[in-house]
Amino acid sequence: MKLSKKYYTLIFSFALTILVALQAYYIYNSYRLITKDLNKEAQEIANKVMDYMKKYETDNNDDKIIQYFKKLNHDEKKQFNELQMIREKVDYNYKIFTPLVDSLLEVYSKDKGFEISLRTDVFSVYDGLNHKELLQNKNYVIYESTRKMSHPVNINQSIWSSDDISNERDTDRGIESNERHKYKIKGKTDYELLNIRFLILKKIIPLIIVSVLIVILIIFLYWKSMQNLAKQEEKINQLHVTIDSIAHELNTPITTMKFALHQIQHSDTKEMMNRQINRLENTVDSIFAKNEENNELLNEIILSEIIQKAKRQFHTIEIISQILFEKNNKLQGNDFQQIFQNLIENSVKYGASRVELNLKFQHEIILKFSDDGIGIPSNEIPFIFDKYYRINRSINQNVNGLGVGLYLVKNIVGRYSGTIHVQKNKEKGVEFLIRMPNEN
């Protein structure tokens, strides 16, 4: 069954939606992969800077600062003073280390175009004897880059603890010997790749552009195809209208020639003219499905007459019929005549030597026509009921006809709310199966 433009558009839209979804999924995965790779590279640079800073020789490096925290006095008054002294040393380190961190980040990042922020701080000093937190969200920043981070990513977190008795005097801080120290110190290092969005877009925009261009190209090709299809359909419709108009215009000259035929005296000439006029009239009649006024329901007598007439007309083929006639409440004789005549003529035209009929008139009308002709190619079956459609093969060039017989059959069956199914026979030939309701 052929699909209308509406269904083709729906199918195309569905397929296009899937394509866009797949492309979006692919771009999203690429985005995640690029993000992961960029962060990995940035973290490696941050680790290099951290390693360098650990080796940096100074009396005030981060390890020294941690030792100060470990040996804090547990007396609250002394703690305050010692923390102030540590803060001064940390602030002093900060001024020294910040330019160094910036220069290191710039050296390690210059080939990649990264803008990295880095910070190492002590964020917790817990007094185990007094059971209290000393920093209370006031971090001691050991070193930090000039560029500040808004979404830090932790790459290192350390915990130091002291639980011992000091046997030495720390002259810098005035700690007496034999003092006990019980502290837990927590520090961390964070980094952030500040221009990660720019770097991601720089890599992913070409992929997005290619994906969008592919979608636009597909939509354009579909639009052009539908446009060309519409033009072809318009030309076909114009051709159909032209043929119908020609056939209609031929009715008047045919009627005139019939009257003129009676004036011809020569019998041979009259017979020849009569055959040609009848041939022309049958051709014109085949284009239009005529609704005759004196049409009556098909009965067994009319059915038998139609079959016998066909056997005499097509004496070169064998017509075998199986008939089960219980009742007929709907199918008119002339309609059955047109169905029967067109299907039998088709079988004869396309090389059939045997036609089998299986006709049942019960609660449903079932008409089965099966022949042993050359058959119909499978890819042509959806189109055989189109008006003026003829199968494109060399043998058809020698077969007379306008391609309207099956079109008329389909229209008649449709008027009775019936269905018609076509299939190829196993050996050769074709089978038409018509089903129509048989109730008033």
Side-chain angles (χ1 to χ4, degrees), residues 42-86:
Q43 185 174 337
E44 290 175 355
I45 293 173
N47 286 328
K48 288 180 180 179
V49 175
M50 286 173 54
D51 292 341
Y52 184 90
M53 295 302 295
K54 287 179 181 178
K55 299 175 183 178
Y56 188 69
E57 294 185 0
T58 176
D59 291 337
N60 296 321
N61 62 16
D62 53 345
D63 289 337
K64 189 71 172 177
I65 298 298
I66 298 302
Q67 292 302 317
Y68 291 156
F69 282 118
K70 284 183 178 182
K71 296 181 181 181
L72 277 170
N73 199 303
H74 288 282
D75 182 272
E76 293 187 4
K77 293 181 180 180
K78 292 181 179 182
Q79 264 183 0
F80 179 79
N81 293 329
E82 291 175 2
L83 286 172
Q84 287 295 106
M85 183 271 295
I86 295 174

Side-chain angles (χ1 to χ4, degrees), residues 23-37:
Q23 287 184 319
Y25 178 74
Y26 175 70
I27 291 172
Y28 173 70
N29 279 345
S30 300
Y31 174 87
R32 292 181 60 189
L33 184 61
I34 293 171
T35 303
K36 183 178 179 181
D37 290 341

Side-chain angles (χ1 to χ4, degrees), residues 94-106:
Y94 184 87
K95 294 178 181 178
I96 296 174
F97 290 158
T98 294
L100 178 60
V101 171
D102 286 339
S103 63
L104 289 172
L105 289 172
E106 184 178 354

Side-chain angles (χ1 to χ4, degrees), residues 33-43 114 191 193 195-196 199-200 203:
L33 184 61
I34 293 171
T35 303
K36 183 178 179 181
D37 290 341
L38 289 174
N39 277 319
K40 184 178 179 181
E41 292 182 54
Q43 185 174 337
F114 289 177
Y191 88 99
L193 181 55
N195 62 335
I196 188 170
L199 296 172
I200 292 172
K203 290 190 175 185

Side-chain angles (χ1 to χ4, degrees), residues 61 80 111 209 212 309 318 377 435:
N61 62 16
F80 179 79
D111 293 335
I209 292 174
V212 171
K309 180 180 177 181
E318 182 181 7
R435 293 178 178 271

Side-chain angles (χ1 to χ4, degrees), residues 202-233:
K202 187 177 178 181
K203 290 190 175 185
I204 210 169
I205 280 180
L207 180 61
I208 295 174
I209 292 174
V210 170
S211 299
V212 171
L213 288 177
I214 289 174
V215 172
I216 292 174
L217 178 62
I218 291 174
I219 294 174
F220 174 76
L221 292 175
Y222 177 77
W223 174 72
K224 290 298 293 183
S225 298
M226 295 303 292
Q227 193 178 50
N228 292 335
L229 181 62
K231 290 180 180 178
Q232 290 179 358
E233 288 180 349

